[in-house]
Amino acid sequence: MHACLYFVAPSGHGLKPLDIEFMKQLHDKCNIIPVIGKADTMTPEEVATFKTVIMEQIVAAKIKIYEFPEVEDGEETERKENRRMKERVPFAVVGSNMIIEGEGGKKSRGRSYPWGVVDIENLQHCDFLPLRNMLIKVRQRQDRHRSRSSPRRT
């Protein structure tokens, strides 16, 4: 197992003691990526505050979560992207398997409510895209590392 998406309930109060204990038992075994599930149950301000509280608790409990590798010889755009990803942790996501029609007739995955729509591909609504992109990048790095370290067949 390379990574564990650890889903946190959107209580707004922080991690439960069980969450902290579980992550302490797990953090030496695999990369933990904290994720706030059902983020559409909170306002954007509540999400931001909740993220801060969770990260403070993780640091205080000395829990090691996935560290984005420093990009040394990469392009400046890749470094900026890495920084933006770090700032979004824990990722706040909204799940959906429905296709909705948004503004201008654009179709995307999301949820429709009487007050509006939540587009899971909209960074103002949730962190699904950064989470997905991060998981793809991690996998690509692992594959590159694995292919460099394994003997080539001739």
Side-chain angles (χ1 to χ4, degrees), residues 1-8 19 22-36 58 63-67 89-91 131 134-135 138 142:
M1 174 170 46
H2 298 288
C4 171
L5 297 179
Y6 190 87
F7 280 82
V8 179
D19 292 323
F22 188 83
M23 284 194 268
K24 280 182 173 182
Q25 296 295 321
L26 191 62
H27 74 142
D28 286 329
K29 296 170 180 58
C30 69
N31 292 306
I32 297 174
I33 302 167
V35 178
I36 301 167
I58 286 172
I63 296 168
K64 293 179 269 183
I65 60 171
Y66 177 74
E67 285 291 324
V89 174
F91 295 99
L131 175 61
M134 186 223 35
L135 291 171
V138 167
Q142 288 172 343

Side-chain angles (χ1 to χ4, degrees), residues 119-132:
D119 178 354
I120 66 169
E121 296 177 6
N122 184 330
L123 294 177
Q124 295 175 338
H125 296 180
C126 85
D127 296 330
F128 172 75
L129 283 181
L131 175 61
R132 182 186 72 186

Side-chain angles (χ1 to χ4, degrees), residues 40 94 100 109-113 115-120 125-126:
D40 56 334
V94 177
I100 57 165
R109 292 202 182 277
R111 291 177 180 246
S112 183
Y113 296 100
W115 46 264
V117 293
V118 174
D119 178 354
I120 66 169
H125 296 180
C126 85

Side-chain angles (χ1 to χ4, degrees), residues 32-110:
I32 297 174
I33 302 167
V35 178
I36 301 167
K38 299 181 181 181
D40 56 334
T41 63
M42 300 187 293
T43 66
E45 295 79 20
E46 290 171 331
V47 169
T49 302
F50 194 43
K51 284 182 170 198
T52 302
V53 169
I54 289 171
M55 287 309 296
E56 287 171 354
Q57 288 180 295
I58 286 172
V59 170
K62 296 181 176 129
I63 296 168
K64 293 179 269 183
I65 60 171
Y66 177 74
E67 285 291 324
F68 291 85
E70 291 300 320
V71 181
E72 295 172 10
D73 55 347
E75 293 184 21
E76 184 62 26
T77 55
E78 194 172 344
R79 272 184 251 169
K80 284 181 182 176
E81 176 68 22
N82 226 13
R83 249 181 271 123
R84 280 196 297 268
M85 296 276 244
K86 285 180 184 181
E87 292 168 0
R88 294 194 92 93
V89 174
F91 295 99
V93 298
V94 177
S96 177
N97 59 359
M98 296 175 50
I99 303 294
I100 57 165
E101 192 168 324
E103 294 178 17
K106 179 187 172 233
K107 294 185 185 237
S108 62
R109 292 202 182 277

Side-chain angles (χ1 to χ4, degrees), residues 126-153:
C126 85
D127 296 330
F128 172 75
L129 283 181
L131 175 61
R132 182 186 72 186
N133 293 342
M134 186 223 35
L135 291 171
I136 290 169
K137 282 184 180 183
V138 167
R139 181 63 188 197
Q140 287 173 338
R141 281 189 191 109
Q142 288 172 343
D143 287 347
R144 258 188 305 215
H145 177 72
R146 199 174 294 124
S147 67
R148 287 182 189 148
S149 62
S150 66
R152 298 192 186 260
R153 294 182 189 175

